[in-house]
Every structure is written in C-alpha cells, then in structure tokens.
Amino acid sequence: MYTVDSIAAIIGAAFLQAADTTRTIAHLLHDSRGVAVGEASLFFALHSPRSDGHRFIGDAYRKGVRAFVVDRDPGIADFQEASFLQVPDTLAALQALAAHHRTQFSIPVIGITGSNGKTIVKEWLYQLLEPEHRIVRSPRSYNSQIGVALSVWQMTAGHSLALFEAGISQPGEMARLAAMIRPTIGVLTNIGSAHDEGFVTTEEKQHEKGRLFEGADVIIGPEPWTGLLPNHLSWGSGRDATLRVDALEQDRDTEAQVTYRGVPLRFRIPFTDEASVANALTCCSVLLHLGYSVDTINSRLATLHPVDMRLQLKRGLNGCTLINDSYSADYTSLQLALHFMEQQRTGQPRAVILSDFAESVREPGQFYGQVAQVLRSSGIARAVLIGPEISRHLQLPAGIAVQRYPDTEAFLGQYHPGLFHEETILVKGARRFRFERIVAQLETRVHQTVLAIDLNALAHNLRQYRALLRPSTKVMAMVKAFSYGSGSAEVASILQFHHVDYLGVAYADEGVELRRAGITVPIMVMNADVSSFPALVEHHLQPVIYSFALLHAFEAFLRGEGLQGWPVHIELETGMNRLGFATVEIPSLARHLQQTPWLRVRSLFSHLAASEDAAQDDFTREQADRFWEMLRPIEAALSYPVLKHIANSAAIIRHPHLQLDMVRLGIGLYGVEIETKQLELQPVATLRSTIAQVKHLAAGDTVSYNRRGVIREESLIATVRIGYADGYSRRLGYGVGKMWVNGHLAPVVGTVCMDMTMIDVTQVPNVKEGDEVVVFGPGLPVQQLADWMGTIPYEVMTGVSQRVKRVYFQE
Ligand SMILES: *Cc1c(COP(=O)(O)O)cnc(C)c1O
C-alpha cells in the first residue's frame, strides 16, 4: 500500500504543498478525462509535444484528485486541499515509481518486444497460460514509455505471472522500459526494417531491443535475431536453432514438424498465414521452455483465436452507434473503452452491455464498487449486465437503468430489435460470453461492402505533418466532402480530440452536421451562399468571404439579426482562378473591412494551384508573392491580428517556408502523399467487399453485359459485391482494374455492373464464396486505383458512394 508520503520518498520529490500526506494511493493518472476514483488517485502532469499535463490539474482537482506530481508550481493557491510533489522530470518520476513497484514481486515476468506481433503474442500467451495462472498483462497495446509504467503498476500480490509489452521508437528508450519490466523471460517477436522507427541501422535497432533482456534468464524468438543474443531459445529452419523447424505442411491449418533439443515433435497451428504461424511458433517455444507437454500445447493451440485489438465503431439498428469491444473485459480496458465512447460525442444517451470480468476478483464488493464509479463518471444512462457475478455485485446509482441476465443466451432470448433506439452502446465482454452474437443482432446488416476507417492511422498522419511544422503553426484539417469520403462526425471527433485548431468544410450543411454531432472546434465554410446564412449563424460557422456581393449580402443579414463582429475568412485570388478577391479590389476591401462593425476577420488566405508540381514551382512562388502584396494593405487597415495561410498538404512538404500562421491539411491526413514520398503515412480508408459466387467457365464463355469479357481458357471467375453505384468506376472494366484477393491481384473481367463486378481468380489459391476482397487499402494504394482509372486519388476517395457502410476502428 502506498501513501503520498511513501511515494514522495520513492520518487525523490520535494513537497511544494503538503495536505493529508497519509492518503492512500491506488491509481495513477496522466489524463484528467480518465478520473474514476479521484480520492485514491495520483495525477502526473506529463508533457507531450503538443500538450502540457499541468493544464489539466484544475479539471482533475474538480473531479476529486488531491495528489499531483508536477515539475513547477501550477498555481497551487487554487488547490488548497491537494498535495503537490515536485520533481525535475514527471515522466521519469512515474517510471521510477513503476520500477520500484516491480521490485516488490518475484513472479515470472515475460517481457515482449519486436517490430510486429507484440500484442498478438502477448494475447496468445495470455490465452495459452490462463488455465494455470492469474496473469497481469499490458492492456491492449500499452507499450509506450507511459503505457509500460501503468501496466507494471497493475501488479498485485494475487498475480502469478506477468506479460508486458515494450515498444520503442527511438534509440535510448529501452533502458527506461527495461528498468520497469525487468523480464525474467524475454520474447523477441521479430525485427523489421530499421527506418520505420527512428533508427539508423537495423543493427542499432536490434541492439536497442536486446537491452530489454539484460538480466533475463532466457530469450525466446525466431532466428536469426534471437540466436545472436545470450541465453537464447531460438526457433527457425537453420541447423543452430534450439527448436528447428523441419517442415510446415499447410492445408486448412498448419502442421509444424520440429526438432526440440533432439526430440521430434509436431504442432498443429490453426492458422496458415505467415505472421500467425511465426507468432504461434514463438508461443510454442515459450510453453516448451515453461515445461508444458506437446499434447497440452496442441490442445491449447486449437483454442487460439485471432486477436482483434481494435475498438470498432459501427452504425447499429434504429440510429444507434455501436462500440464493439467484445474481445475483453478487464478494469483498465473498460476505462479505455469508456474514454473512447466519450470521445465520440455522438450526443446520444450512452448504454453499456457488460459481462462478468475476466480477471479474478478477490474482493467483489470493492472491485465492482470501482466499476460502478467509472460507469457513473462516464455518464452512462443504461446498463445491461450479463453473467452471475456482475449481476450480483454491481450496484449502480438510481440514475442508471439496469437489466440483469445470467448469461448471453438469456439476453438474446428476450432481445427484440426495438430494445435500443438512438443510443451509443458499448458492448464489452469476456471472450467466453461470445458477445459477438449480440453485436451481430445490434448491427445493421445491409450491403456487404464497407469502407473501413482506421482512426489510429488518421492520428498518425496528423502527427507526421505536425512534425514538419513549427509548434506555433496552427492546423486547419480539411474535412470537406465527408472528410474526403471517410465520414464526417467520427473523423472530426478524432481531429478535435487531437487538438486541430480549425476544421474546413465546403458547404454550410457539412458544418451543421458536425455541430449536431457535438464538434466544437471553429469551422470555416468555404462556399457559403445567401440561403445558408441562418444555418451559419445558428451553428456558429465561419464563412469564407470571396466577393463584394457575398460580403454585402452577409453584412445585410447580420444587420437584420443585430449581430456584430461575426468571424469570417477572406479569400484572395492569386492564380487558382476559382474564388477570391482580385488585386484591383484590395484597396476598397481594406477600407471596408477597416470600418465595418459587422465582421471580424479571422484570417486572410489563398489557395495554391499546383503546389505538388515541380514544373510549376515558379508559378507557386508568384502566387505566394502576390498573396503577400495583396494582404499587406488589408493587414495594415485592420487594428487586430489575423492569421495568414496558403499551404495545402503538398505545400507543407514542398514549400515549407509557406506554412505561415496556419496550414490547411487535406489529402495527406487520409494517408495519400501526392508526388513527394517523404513521410511515412498510413492509409486511413480500406474499401472492402466480399465474393458472392465463384464460377468455373470454359473457353468461349463470356462474362457480363454485351458479352465483352471473353474467356480464352478454362477460368475461375468470382462475382464481387461492388459496382459503379458504390463508386467502382466503369473505367476499371476489361482488365484495367484489379482487386486484392487472398494476397493476389485479380483483374476485372468484362463490364463493371451497377452493383457487382466479376474478377478472374484462376491464379488465386483457395478462393471461396464469402471471401474478402480489397478494392483499395494497405497493399493496394488508392493512388494505384486512381492511375488505373486515369484520375487522382481525391476523386476515387470521394467517389465511394454513401450507400457503402463506413466502419471505424481504433486501438
Ligand atoms: C481542399 C482544400 C485544401 C486541402 O488540399 P489538399 O491538397 O487535400 O491538402 C486546402 N485549401 C483549400 C482552399 C481547399 O479547397
């Protein structure tokens, strides 16, 4: 048990203010949004490149937190009842506390690192070892400098085994993680190419990863990397491997014939893809090391299931929003999921469907008391509790409507489609409750083609661009045309969460939709017209003014409403010749803006016509020069500062001196880098469909309308559930376009139909009805599809029709 006093001694902190220093501390926080049990929490004010945790002390204090670790005085006079522990480096203090906590336990600790597969190996080891052990593990992919500290902090006397992941992005980070994890068994999943993280060479990266294992009894993983480390148990096909893989036979699953310390063994792995087989062999090696028999290992392997770590956001029946987290139920991941729910700001009442928790609960009264607190503080209006334990022990305050069921069958037995209406529902259950059956009931099942949006990739891309900007440069994220096809409110919520300064939409309706979804960031509307003025004003949207006609009309409207000083943006025409004031209009515009009481100019901007094109760089420079000349008289006329901006995605990279006060980031956010290939962007959208039927056709048969797809030799043709009405262009017919099926590219045969397209899968092994087909996404870039169509990625992305369901996911 820790108190404020004992923690101060452990982290070497000085008291800036001491109040009730014998207070017991059970929870560590670094984000005021996650406060559940304020009284027993210690808040660490951490710094990130864009945010300073000291700013959230007030919020945490209001939520009952009374102990803080800070690196400076945050104005303690306002927080009389709290203790403040001062240290030079708050993150280092958090880590020192975790490292101290780790030393209190002598159970086996498995530390897992590697470039890919860490989370999967961790989750599989959890599934394989759970029958004998009470396991503490990193929640989801909590493997960062903060995540590891919080993971280690979860260790208690009841646990018999720990599984922790360690991820690093820069040289030097591993030593800090190693001090907290101190693995007794090290697992190295693999080492990918060096440049995907901040390393110069693969050797440097390998060396850094190896640091985690200093002091471990054994290091387990694949050749060649593992074999280079001391005390290793390596697997691979080479002679020197401790577990030598002699043969892999694949059919519906994989049979691995191996030799382990001279003894031949067989493992049956219920997967066939390379990554899963490798991860499974790593897990087998760990179990062999722990002394498990091959029979036990095989019977456990048979029960392994793929790990889907991502929180999925889906549209449900009756206007509901579903958050599918039917993969796990533990206290920390519940907090994370509730957090995700709050972040969505759907404006709908919130409901949860929760099962018994997976973790062994020794004091149910106390444990479920904490669960009740987090549910209450997350504003849950309704709870469906499934399972004997949670039904008995979870007592919720009167404001929350509760239904209790002994098991999933009992719930499904009385389920009817009208049960939920316009609610945001978190579905979260331990594996054995098989809540995926509940999700299937709650989902709208329509067309099987979906556009999957990876919200982590979106945040990653934003970080990539921000790294190129000065810290003071603001970001306007362009979310026009349903965020380039990726969906409005969900994307905007994430961008708001990551503190973009502005959002940009094309039309007022788009802005109104965002406001209705609870988006509060300032929104610029590029193309407002007279009919949209009432909506603009009602929803606090900021129009672009690009002509005197629009200027006078909007002022007349504001005058009628009695509104003064409405925020607007002024667009200047510098060469795009689309919208904007011309050079000759500038003097009178400046005079007008100087004296108008109705408007307040927030920004002056222009748009580049060819920022991605090196052949047009002279023109881009001319545009920039013209921009400066035009804005100077206006700036001089105004008595207040205004933002200036001209750069879009390509200009941020190609014309860095044009970042000015703000940039307008569009296509790059969605993972497409036009022309330059300097960033490591991740594709945000994946357009997927499924195969409805597979046919054997003979030479001379023809496919699709007008018989234009002629079969030359015996072929296997698959019909895919996507057509031009979904945005799959007719220009992709006759072999021009290809789709990605089971790891192969399959060309389109014949004409693309309205709702279906036929592809030739003769060369693709094991194709069957129901198989997934990727139209674009990781593996088949949208740029490639655009090239086939003779267009640009912008058109392909925005052309995915609204009948295609959007699903969102996030780790
Ligand atoms: C769409 C748009 C952008 C974003 O352009 P990208 O090339 O997608 O980065 C920026 N400014 C204006 C005015 C736009 O219309």
Side-chain angles (χ1 to χ4, degrees):
M1 194 149 92
Y2 294 93
T3 61
V4 174
D5 263 334
S6 68
I7 289 176
I10 293 165
I11 63 176
F15 277 99
L16 202 58
Q17 175 169 294
D20 186 12
T21 60
T22 56
R23 174 186 293 278
T24 313
I25 297 296
H27 306 281
L28 306 184
L29 298 171
H30 65 104
D31 186 328
S32 60
R33 289 165 304 190
V35 177
V37 197
E39 319 83 72
S41 298
L42 176 62
F43 182 95
F44 284 79
L46 303 178
H47 293 270
S48 71
R50 289 262 161 185
S51 143
D52 175 0
H54 294 78
R55 278 178 27 216
F56 304 108
I57 287 174
D59 188 39
Y61 188 86
R62 270 192 302 285
K63 293 175 177 168
V65 179
R66 291 294 176 268
F68 297 87
V69 178
V70 296
D71 61 18
R72 61 182 146 81
D73 182 350
I76 50 176
D78 296 341
F79 313 115
Q80 292 289 333
E81 293 167 24
S83 292
F84 284 87
L85 282 59
Q86 190 172 19
V87 294
D89 178 340
T90 48
L91 176 61
L94 171 65
Q95 295 179 331
L97 181 56
H100 171 88
H101 188 63
R102 167 70 184 87
T103 62
Q104 310 300 300
F105 304 93
S106 56
I107 57 174
V109 172
I110 304 183
I112 305 168
T113 192
S115 301
N116 314 100
K118 293 185 284 291
T119 304
I120 292 179
V121 167
K122 182 196 69 195
E123 291 302 318
W124 279 357
L125 285 174
Y126 177 78
Q127 292 174 22
L128 295 165
L129 297 168
E130 193 189 23
E132 288 78 32
H133 284 286
R134 270 162 299 136
I135 302 176
V136 51
R137 71 194 200 278
S138 331
R140 297 189 173 277
S141 50
Y142 255 41
N143 61 28
S144 65
Q145 296 287 319
I146 299 170
V148 167
L150 299 178
S151 300
V152 169
W153 181 255
Q154 299 179 101
M155 294 178 86
T156 66
H159 294 119
S160 63
L161 182 83
L163 289 169
F164 296 130
E165 256 183 82
I168 45 171
S169 53
Q170 267 154 45
E173 290 183 341
M174 193 57 95
R176 307 174 81 175
L177 300 186
M180 294 185 275
I181 297 177
R182 290 172 172 240
T184 57
I185 298 175
V187 172
L188 181 60
T189 57
N190 63 10
I191 303 251
S193 69
H195 82 276
D196 55 349
E197 297 168 10
F199 295 92
V200 180
T201 63
T202 306
E203 285 68 33
E204 183 192 6
K205 184 159 153 185
Q206 181 213 345
H207 174 75
E208 180 72 12
K209 301 238 173 204
R211 301 192 68 164
L212 177 62
F213 304 132
E214 283 161 18
D217 304 332
V218 62
I219 297 160
I220 300 174
E223 293 283 8
W225 305 113
T226 310
L228 302 172
L229 297 165
N231 305 331
H232 63 262
L233 188 174
S234 64
W235 65 263
S237 52
R239 242 176 346 116
D240 299 334
T242 328
L243 183 145
R244 194 182 67 220
V245 181
D246 301 315
L248 290 177
E249 277 174 25
Q250 297 202 318
D251 183 16
R252 295 222 137 239
D253 55 14
T254 301
E255 186 177 89
Q257 298 172 17
V258 305
T259 307
Y260 178 61
R261 304 194 193 277
V263 183
L265 305 171
R266 278 163 194 263
F267 291 119
R268 188 164 281 286
I269 298 167
F271 301 97
T272 52
D273 65 288
E274 204 180 323
S276 299
V277 171
N279 290 331
L281 285 169
T282 299
C283 292
C284 290
S285 306
V286 173
L287 268 69
L288 285 172
H289 171 76
L290 292 173
Y292 284 77
S293 73
V294 71
D295 291 341
T296 309
I297 298 178
N298 274 323
S299 70
R300 302 244 170 116
L301 281 177
T303 67
L304 277 191
H305 26 245
V307 176
D308 192 348
M309 298 298 295
R310 303 170 307 194
L311 283 175
Q312 286 180 325
L313 191 64
K314 302 179 175 186
R315 295 222 181 285
L317 290 170
N318 306 330
C320 289
T321 307
L322 296 181
I323 299 173
N324 179 10
D325 194 12
S326 56
Y327 137 87
S328 70
D330 54 72
Y331 180 71
T332 314
S333 71
L334 174 66
Q335 283 184 300
L336 295 175
L338 289 169
H339 221 125
F340 179 71
M341 187 166 187
E342 283 172 53
Q343 211 178 301
Q344 298 315 313
R345 298 177 179 269
T346 55
Q348 297 174 328
R350 296 173 186 156
V352 289
I353 303 180
L354 263 187
S355 78
D356 282 357
F357 279 64
E359 54 209 27
S360 53
V361 176
R362 289 199 302 171
E363 290 174 43
Q366 189 202 349
F367 177 81
Y368 283 102
Q370 288 184 12
V371 173
Q373 290 213 41
V374 270
L375 292 179
R376 197 199 46 192
S377 66
S378 311
I380 298 294
R382 173 175 182 185
V384 175
L385 309 178
I386 299 179
E389 198 176 277
I390 196 167
S391 305
R392 187 166 59 232
H393 295 295
L394 184 56
Q395 301 306 330
L396 291 166
I400 303 182
V402 189
Q403 290 158 281
R404 297 169 201 268
Y405 299 92
D407 52 34
T408 310
E409 286 68 29
F411 172 73
L412 289 173
Q414 63 75 59
Y415 173 82
H416 60 92
L419 201 56
F420 294 93
H421 201 83
E422 309 264 337
E423 288 162 75
T424 298
I425 312 167
L426 170 64
V427 185
K428 185 156 180 57
R431 268 287 173 198
R432 64 197 157 89
F433 284 87
R434 302 197 21 239
F435 271 11
E436 57 275 11
R437 294 173 294 166
I438 298 180
V439 173
Q441 291 294 330
L442 296 173
E443 245 186 297
T444 26
R445 267 160 305 168
V446 275
H447 192 59
Q448 300 234 15
T449 298
V450 298
L451 189 70
I453 306 298
D454 182 345
L455 298 174
N456 287 97
L458 189 80
H460 166 89
N461 297 338
L462 178 61
R463 278 194 296 276
Q464 290 271 305
Y465 278 94
R466 274 185 164 156
L468 302 179
L469 302 177
R470 289 185 303 266
S472 60
T473 303
K474 294 184 189 308
V475 174
M476 175 183 288
M478 303 307 288
V479 293
K480 59 196 184 192
F482 296 101
S483 303
Y484 291 44
S486 299
S488 331
E490 295 83 357
V491 168
S493 292
I494 285 291
L495 294 167
Q496 168 163 299
F497 183 76
H498 289 281
H499 309 294
V500 301
D501 302 281
Y502 270 90
L503 293 171
V505 297
Y507 295 100
D509 291 350
E510 297 176 319
V512 170
E513 193 184 328
L514 296 181
R515 286 284 184 256
R516 291 221 165 102
I519 302 295
T520 53
V521 177
I523 297 175
M524 179 178 99
V525 178
M526 292 193 292
N527 210 332
D529 70 343
V530 177
S531 67
S532 67
F533 290 162
L536 281 177
V537 164
E538 183 185 346
H539 295 280
H540 294 273
L541 304 172
Q542 306 179 3
V544 168
I545 303 293
Y546 52 80
S547 70
F548 276 114
L550 186 62
L551 177 79
H552 295 315
F554 191 51
E555 285 190 341
F557 175 79
L558 292 173
R559 195 179 305 120
E561 299 285 308
L563 291 167
Q564 294 207 348
W566 196 265
V568 298
H569 303 263
I570 304 291
E571 183 165 6
L572 305 176
E573 181 55 79
T574 60
M576 173 81 177
N577 287 323
R578 188 168 72 176
L579 294 176
F581 285 94
T583 307
V584 293
E585 296 174 310
I586 297 301
S588 49
L589 178 63
R591 274 196 304 280
H592 186 95
L593 293 174
Q594 185 171 39
Q595 46 74 30
T596 178
W598 312 111
L599 305 179
R600 178 153 177 123
V601 180
R602 278 291 156 82
S603 81
L604 298 168
F605 77 99
S606 188
H607 193 39
L608 297 171
S611 63
E612 73 281 8
D613 186 353
Q616 298 294 346
D617 281 353
D618 285 342
F619 185 76
T620 299
R621 268 187 288 277
E622 280 170 36
Q623 278 199 276
D625 292 345
R626 219 167 289 147
F627 182 49
W628 283 113
E629 276 165 32
M630 291 173 83
L631 66 81
R632 234 171 247 132
I634 304 175
E635 252 195 323
L638 298 175
S639 57
Y640 51 85
V642 294
L643 299 170
K644 301 179 278 291
H645 48 110
I646 192 166
N648 64 345
S649 304
I652 295 172
I653 295 174
R654 299 199 62 256
H655 306 281
H657 61 287
L658 295 182
Q659 58 176 269
L660 312 186
D661 301 322
M662 181 152 78
V663 295
R664 299 188 305 270
L665 180 56
I667 190 105
L669 205 45
Y670 308 98
V672 180
E673 200 178 333
I674 304 289
E675 293 301 324
T676 48
K677 283 282 169 286
Q678 294 192 15
L679 298 177
E680 298 200 357
L681 301 182
Q682 296 172 358
V684 165
T686 301
L687 180 58
R688 302 198 287 257
S689 187
T690 51
I691 292 176
Q693 196 176 28
V694 179
K695 292 176 198 293
H696 287 274
L697 297 185
D701 286 344
T702 61
V703 175
S704 197
Y705 288 118
N706 307 106
R707 308 191 58 200
R708 287 190 52 193
V710 180
I711 300 296
R712 307 240 170 257
E713 54 193 72
E714 218 178 298
S715 300
L716 203 58
I717 302 299
T719 303
V720 183
R721 295 183 171 101
I722 188 170
Y724 58 77
D726 300 295
Y728 197 73
S729 168
R730 289 182 82 254
R731 289 173 275 179
L732 294 161
Y734 323 114
V736 173
K738 300 184 178 66
M739 298 186 195
W740 186 251
V741 191
N742 296 348
H744 295 261
L745 282 177
V748 175
V749 184
T751 315
V752 173
C753 308
M754 188 185 290
D755 314 302
M756 276 165 275
T757 301
M758 277 64 85
I759 55 175
D760 184 341
V761 291
T762 316
Q763 304 302 328
V764 185
N766 301 327
V767 178
K768 41 185 196 324
E769 287 165 13
D771 277 1
E772 182 179 292
V773 170
V774 172
V775 178
F776 65 76
L780 179 49
V782 67
Q783 177 79 56
Q784 172 69 73
L785 199 65
D787 291 345
W788 287 331
M789 283 166 63
T791 182
I792 52 174
Y794 299 76
E795 188 183 341
V796 179
M797 291 159 63
T798 55
V800 177
S801 69
Q802 286 302 310
R803 102 169 164 189
V804 175
K805 183 161 72 150
R806 269 72 172 163
V807 299
Y808 302 86
F809 55 87
Q810 183 176 40
E811 254 176 29

